[in-house]
Amino acid sequence: MVYAGPVGVRAPWSQPETRYYGGSFEQTLSEQDTAGSLTVMRASCTPDDAPPLHYHTREDEFWVILSGSVRFWVGGYSLTECVVTEAPAGSFVYGPRNIPHTFQSITDSAEVLVGNTPGAIEGYFKGIGAAEERQDDQHLDFLESYGVIIVGPPPIWSDWN
């Protein structure tokens, strides 16, 4: 049997980029590449890019910290109820579905591989697109159509540093 699926090395920032709010991410591996089983994005993050506290009902999520350091909040319905962990470059972080989480770069910038399994969440990010500032609360129905439920605000830098 000969495998004819997607194979090969993905050089950094060689795949399509998608604007998302004030930043962008590279679609390193799409759900189409994996028959829906996985999606992977390479994101550049700053302290201002933290998503709200949320959970996914359909997929598990993982992060590989490529550069910088990132703080994660996991497991509570408010930031103060979560387990808070700092992940330096080289760290792997796993977030199972239905468990609230968020993250924030604690360095000026961080580069992170973000994966979801099964794949499909990438449609949300492409659907929202660029904006001057995050407006997650204006897209709750769209988020929920992808199985993402917001349970709290994002971390505010001055509250945690």
Side-chain angles (χ1 to χ4, degrees), residues 31 56-59 120-125 127 141-148:
E31 65 176 318
H56 303 257
T57 62
R58 300 180 186 161
E59 64 270 324
I121 191 71
E122 64 199 57
Y124 165 73
F125 297 104
D141 290 343
F142 190 48
L143 274 165
E144 288 181 15
S145 75
Y146 282 92
V148 178

Side-chain angles (χ1 to χ4, degrees), residues 7 26 50 52 91 96 98 101 119 139:
V7 177
E26 173 195 31
S91 297
N98 296 313
H101 61 275
H139 304 289

Side-chain angles (χ1 to χ4, degrees), residues 62-160:
F62 64 87
W63 303 265
V64 179
I65 313 306
L66 300 174
S67 67
S69 290
V70 179
R71 182 176 293 138
F72 286 84
W73 289 259
V74 178
Y77 286 86
S78 73
L79 294 172
T80 57
E81 292 175 352
C82 289
V83 173
V84 181
T85 305
E86 293 185 6
S91 297
F92 180 89
V93 179
Y94 172 69
R97 71 189 71 192
N98 296 313
I99 303 297
H101 61 275
T102 189
F103 60 95
Q104 181 179 49
S105 176
I106 55 175
T107 50
D108 289 340
S109 66
E111 191 170 75
V112 181
L113 282 180
V114 182
N116 296 89
T117 183
I121 191 71
E122 64 199 57
Y124 165 73
F125 297 104
K126 291 176 181 178
I128 292 298
E132 292 300 313
E133 60 186 34
R134 289 192 74 108
Q135 301 168 338
D136 298 296
D137 59 336
Q138 296 179 22
H139 304 289
L140 295 178
D141 290 343
F142 190 48
L143 274 165
E144 288 181 15
S145 75
Y146 282 92
V148 178
I149 310 298
I150 293 178
V151 297
I156 297 171
W157 181 254
S158 60
D159 291 350
W160 294 90

